[in-house]
Amino acid sequence: MPPSAEAFEAERPHLVSVAYRMLGSVAEAQDVVQEAWLRYTRAGDDIRDLRGWLTTVTGRLCLDVLKSARVSREAYTGQWLPEYFVDPDPGPAGQAERRDEVGLALLVVLERLTPEQRVALVLHDAFAVPYGEVAKVLGTTEATARQHASRGRRAASEGGVRHNAGLAEQRRVLTAFLDAVNSGDLQALAAVLAPDVVAISDGGGFMSTALRPIVGPEKVARFFVGVVHGGRMDGLVLKPALVNGTAGVYATGPLRGALAVTVADGRITGLFQQLNPAKLSVSDLL
């Protein structure tokens, strides 16, 4: 089929979703999709499966970005978290999680994979791209593509934070956490934090925050109580939100940012705090 702007625009949301899952950056995802458009306009009329062709091209472009991003992210100040999709909390009427939302916990885990593992895992597991096509994206054999996906899957399962709670339970536990932090009640905090809880903050060098993950309920509790009661939070306003489909809050006032949690078995297993202003531009709420 000859290049068609209308046909491409119909596929753009799918392509941005593919690229965002691989890159964790909205701006990078949009840049990749724009490059895919340019390649599409030069492709001629031999494309029979437009979505498949564009997905393959997007995957190849993302692989190149991931390989170059390794250098820049290793030099990144502090912890790197993906850009957030922050939406107003819809309340009881909107409690069903969005099926197409890219879970924050998954994106954090994907950061630990090699570029090849990440591309293979996302293409095959999230978008059902056959291993033969994944192999073409990676420039390797089908057997090797399977191996990349398998290793990525295993690394993701071993290194991920536990997250099995529905949205209603996430909200309940998050509310209990915030109440305990505001009151400075360390005992109440310990009751809502899992033994293996981890807190990761991304300030990007713009905001002062923990440069390494904080692990364990006592350390996590003291960190958040110290932040809130350290004298810099006067005028801070927290509002409920959905952050990549999970319960969270966004902050305005002396601190701009968003916090999302992962919850399992009634306790918080992960707290992910995004304070880098460059990664909050995806939302007009902040």
Side-chain angles (χ1 to χ4, degrees):
M1 58 179 296
S4 161
E6 183 177 352
F8 182 87
E9 289 304 316
E11 297 297 336
R12 184 182 291 274
H14 164 75
L15 299 177
V16 171
S17 182
V18 170
Y20 176 68
R21 278 175 166 83
M22 292 187 189
L23 304 176
S25 166
V26 176
E28 289 178 348
Q30 292 173 338
D31 288 345
V32 160
V33 172
Q34 190 59 30
E35 177 61 27
W37 157 251
L38 294 177
R39 297 194 180 193
Y40 173 55
T41 61
R42 300 193 294 264
D45 56 1
D46 295 330
I47 302 173
R48 289 176 172 78
D49 175 8
L50 179 60
R51 170 164 289 200
W53 187 90
L54 288 172
T55 300
T56 298
V57 169
T58 299
R60 287 172 180 161
L61 293 169
C62 286
L63 181 62
D64 292 339
V65 172
L66 284 170
K67 288 180 177 178
S68 62
R70 285 293 165 192
V71 177
S72 60
R73 289 179 186 175
E74 286 173 1
Y76 192 80
T77 301
Q79 297 297 299
W80 192 97
L81 288 174
E83 292 184 27
Y84 285 4
F85 284 109
V86 182
D87 295 316
D89 191 325
Q95 287 191 359
E97 291 90 339
R98 300 181 185 182
R99 293 183 180 179
D100 61 344
E101 199 72 78
V102 187
L104 187 59
L106 174 61
L107 287 173
V108 172
V109 170
L110 289 177
E111 275 301 304
R112 303 176 183 179
L113 308 186
T114 67
E116 292 80 7
Q117 290 171 353
R118 186 165 183 165
V119 169
L121 187 62
V122 168
L123 285 179
H124 183 268
D125 287 18
F127 296 99
V129 176
Y131 281 118
E133 295 301 313
V134 175
K136 293 179 183 178
V137 172
L138 299 178
T140 188
T141 65
E142 183 172 338
T144 301
R146 287 178 180 274
Q147 191 174 60
H148 282 308
S150 177
R151 288 176 176 174
R153 203 175 294 118
R154 183 167 60 251
S157 64
E158 293 173 350
V161 292
R162 294 176 296 115
H163 183 54
N164 56 28
L167 192 53
E169 183 180 4
Q170 294 171 37
R171 287 170 170 157
R172 178 185 62 77
V173 175
L174 176 59
T175 298
F177 169 81
L178 294 174
D179 289 344
V181 169
N182 288 331
S183 67
D185 189 338
L186 294 176
Q187 186 174 356
L189 270 174
V192 297
L193 297 176
D196 57 347
V197 64
V198 59
I200 299 177
S201 302
D202 182 346
F206 299 99
M207 299 293 296
S208 177
T209 188
L211 297 179
R212 294 180 177 84
I214 302 171
V215 181
E218 182 177 347
K219 291 181 179 179
V220 169
R222 293 189 181 279
F223 171 76
F224 279 96
V225 168
V227 169
V228 171
H229 296 275
R232 297 180 298 162
M233 296 294 105
D234 292 341
L236 183 71
V237 177
L238 295 179
K239 297 183 179 180
L242 290 178
V243 179
N244 285 60
T246 62
V249 293
Y250 67 95
T252 59
L255 181 70
R256 294 177 66 246
L259 172 72
V261 297
T262 51
V263 176
D265 304 319
R267 292 189 175 188
I268 292 175
T269 56
L271 296 121
F272 305 97
Q273 188 175 216
Q274 183 56 267
L275 301 175
N276 184 344
K279 296 182 181 181
L280 295 171
S281 59
V282 297
S283 172
D284 59 3
L285 299 172
L286 302 171

